[in-house]
Amino acid sequence: MSKKIIAFLLVAMMLVSAALLASCGKGGNTNANETESLLPAPTLEKFTVKDDFKIGVICLHDENSTYDNNFIRAIRNVQKALGLSDEQVLVKTNIPESSACKDAAVEFAKGGCKIVFADSFGHEEHMIAAAKEYPDVQFCHATGTRAHTEGLSNYHNAFASIYEGRYLAGIAAGMKLNEMIEAKKITAEQAVMGYVGAFTYAEVISGLTSFYLGAKSVCPSVTMKVRYTGSWYDPATEKEAATALIQTDKCVLISQHADSLGAPTACEDAGVPNISYNGSTIEAGENTFIISSAINWEPYFHYIIKQVTEGKAIDTDWTGNIATGSIVLSGLNKKAAAEGTKEAIDKAIAEFKAGTLHVFNTANFTVGGSKLDSYMADVHYDTAFEKDTEAVKDGYFHESEYRSAPYFDVRIDGIEFINEKY
Amino acid sequence: MINGIMDFAARAILQGTPILFGATGEILTEKSGNLNLGIPGIMYVGMISSVIGGFAYQSGGNINPALAIIIPTLSCLLGSLIVSFIYAFLTITLRANQNVTGLAITTFGVGFGNFFGGSLIKITNSSAPYLSLTKLSRIFSGQKIVPDSAPWYQHLLLPLGFLVYVSVVIALVVGFVLKRTRVGLQLRAVGESPATADAAGINVTKYKYLSTCIGGMIAGLGGLFYIMDYSSGIWSNDAFGDRGWLAIALVIFAVWRPSIGIIGSYIFGGLYILYNYISVSMNMIPIMQMLPYIVTIVVLIITSLRKRRETQPPASLGLNYFREER
């Protein structure tokens, strides 16, 4: 009898705690020190979608991953803007990069989805397999590289020119360094930035190089040190890497390309300014967060739904940019950002829109001491990673033009890779 | 140079402290003959409980330093107590298999933490999926980065929050109780041979319950330290990593002695982050992070070869006691 009572009590206790939690009030997430977004997401144009339209979205993790959260929020916002019902926008989370992805895609296609979307790099081959079986359904894949060589009319890749966003965030970093130099906190030579990167992929190198070039465009003496963690999400490893950059490598400003808050919290602990990624982290770094850049996937979802509704073809490779509204910046933290940062960023945004500013302008960096006149990039998919396309033309490296996913993997002067494999 | 070494030592201690809490709790539990493989889950529940308590308190507005420490700590103790009580009830009263129950508790604890963590994040409607208790964390933690000009001992001591000292004191007290007191002697008797202890008039069930529950609460404090001090009060799902398993490995490394556990936890913590302080390529990071487990296996091999009585696990570890079975 007593055992039954205890068992009952345990169950009751769990229910009570769940109820308590559910009754918790809403906490706001606005911080008075954060300005209006410097590059906000655009409002989406409304058009009528047929009632039998359905889109299926496949995500690697769920909302609790920074990466997938970005996609889920985007499709939900588009759903709201177009007035679609929950039966028309189906999201499957925690789909691994295995045949489970194909199963999910096939299930969506059989269930009447006109578009199937997947968000993770490793989903690609399974999406291609499903695309071959269902030629009437459009398969769209973010971050993939194979659509332009695969020759399927219903399989598409997409990415965004996030290197432009990183460049803009880099300007905020450079302005901060200038402020520190002027205040005699550091000398011009001590303007060393640290960068915590996940892997040595082109996506990361393209991002960190553009961040560095953005900072260099306003602070010419800046250099940068990079530590890789070998993982997209590992809070402690990222935190330790950032701490080592601050303590051992004497970096005075940190940015990162990995998904946890390890680096931002290490910066807040140390009082070192931080440039964040994928959404504002001001709640974690109220004294040190400066600005954050992110890809906004709303325009892409909006675009593919519109094309299918109007019976038009979707681009094989779609690269969102500042003009499409695919690059967003958070607001500036008034406590940490330097004077004049907004003006400097606004100026660069205007130049991007006018097409006069190219991030990888070869006049602005050197490789091994000399100017980069020619670079063969690995653009076409093959298992040997053959360098197949000349990417330097008209005085700049043409990033994300020959396919949507980044392929800039040049190690330029001024950036030291501390623990990259040699 | 000396400052750099002290910085590394401080980071190693911060890495080691959650493991030390977990290992001390597990040693206490195992001394009663209960092999609690639920420690990773219990630490995780301890962590989310302190977050729930802290979040409720922080949303209230004004923060009183004493309450900022007391509320998360009590929530953490309560949460880990409930989960260890479930484990104790299942294994001691219902005599369920300890390994299976422990693993189930770990799975349950992590799921429980992620469910409530994820729900809290939804409540805050934050743009990135994390929960921030930085205001409370500042009261828990030490000064993380020390300027170069500071003397060397400040590089070692300033980064350490008060929970680091608590972990050492608890480990020493548990070691003392186990070795020098009558209670400890009786507890060890329960772990070595519950039938004999029972015959001597020791209440086996009471000892097993108490050591499992107190051990679980101590382990839960590891979660409290990890979230409130080490992580600067930032909760995101699955951030705890494999520290719970490291704690169980440390029990073997420390040959069931909390005082060795103190040194061992700092060695584990140091090995875990060593790759940042010697020049190795990123490909070596997972191999370097394997070192604590390799060291544990080496210790296991050595102690099993030498067969000294003092370094063996409690004789009835993992076995449930049933009086009528004698």
Side-chain angles (χ1 to χ4, degrees), chain A residues 352-366:
Chain A
F352 274 130
K353 283 184 175 162
T356 53
L357 178 57
H358 298 289
V359 170
F360 299 113
N361 186 335
T362 51
N364 296 338
F365 63 90
T366 55

Side-chain angles (χ1 to χ4, degrees), chain B residues 266-280:
Chain B
Y266 300 155
I267 293 175
F268 275 27
L271 290 175
Y272 209 66
I273 55 166
L274 187 62
Y275 60 86
N276 268 329
Y277 295 86
I278 55 176
S279 42
V280 293

Side-chain angles (χ1 to χ4, degrees), chain A residues 213-230:
Chain A
L213 291 173
K216 203 179 172 201
S217 72
V218 288
C219 177
S221 68
V222 66
T223 56
M224 189 159 89
K225 294 184 177 179
V226 180
R227 280 181 186 264
Y228 289 107
T229 61

Side-chain angles (χ1 to χ4, degrees), chain A residues 148-286:
Chain A
H148 69 290
T149 48
E150 210 60 37
L152 292 167
S153 63
N154 66 329
Y155 179 71
H156 322 280
N157 283 152
F159 213 101
S161 60
I162 183 60
Y163 58 94
E164 293 175 335
R166 295 247 186 218
Y167 183 90
L168 295 171
I171 292 175
M175 297 296 286
K176 183 70 187 177
L177 292 172
N178 283 343
E179 186 191 76
M180 289 156 88
I181 294 169
E182 270 166 40
K184 300 247 185 310
K185 279 188 193 156
I186 55 169
T187 64
E189 288 68 42
Q190 284 170 341
V192 185
M193 302 191 292
Y195 199 94
V196 179
F199 287 99
T200 55
Y201 302 150
E203 184 187 344
V204 178
I205 294 173
S206 168
L208 68 88
T209 308
S210 50
F211 171 74
Y212 171 73
L213 291 173
K216 203 179 172 201
S217 72
V218 288
C219 177
S221 68
V222 66
T223 56
M224 189 159 89
K225 294 184 177 179
V226 180
R227 280 181 186 264
Y228 289 107
T229 61
S231 155
W232 282 116
Y233 178 80
D234 186 341
T237 304
E238 288 163 39
K239 185 162 193 160
E240 292 302 332
T243 305
L245 283 166
I246 296 166
Q247 276 183 342
T248 315
D249 307 324
K250 308 295 173 211
C251 296
V252 295
L253 185 147
I254 301 283
S255 185
Q256 74 274 355
H257 190 174
D259 288 343
S260 90
L261 270 81
T265 56
C267 289
E268 183 71 8
D269 289 343
V272 169
N274 178 259
I275 306 285
S276 203
Y277 183 53
N278 260 342
S280 167
T281 52
I282 194 165
E283 294 294 321
E286 58 171 328

Side-chain angles (χ1 to χ4, degrees), chain B residues 27-94:
Chain B
I27 289 173
L28 188 63
T29 308
E30 290 195 10
K31 278 291 179 186
S32 76
N34 272 11
L35 177 65
N36 189 355
L37 293 181
I39 285 291
I42 291 173
M43 293 174 83
Y44 209 77
V45 169
M47 189 154 87
I48 188 64
S49 305
S50 60
V51 168
I52 293 173
F55 180 76
Y57 179 61
Q58 189 180 258
S59 329
N62 289 335
I63 289 171
N64 169 323
L67 284 178
I69 287 176
I70 292 169
I71 290 176
T73 307
L74 284 184
S75 319
C76 164
L77 291 176
L78 182 68
S80 36
L81 171 67
I82 292 172
V83 185
S84 9
F85 183 79
I86 296 175
Y87 172 84
F89 178 66
L90 290 171
T91 56
I92 301 167
T93 305
L94 300 182

Side-chain angles (χ1 to χ4, degrees), chain B residues 11 47 74-75 77-78 85 89 106 120 128-129 132 138 145 152 182 184 192 203 216 253 256 286 292 307:
Chain B
R11 300 305 299 175
M47 189 154 87
L74 284 184
S75 319
L77 291 176
L78 182 68
F85 183 79
F89 178 66
T106 289
L120 277 182
S132 168
R138 290 210 181 94
I145 303 283
W152 65 270
R182 176 163 293 271
E192 296 296 335
N203 187 339
F253 179 88
W256 289 268
K307 290 210 167 77

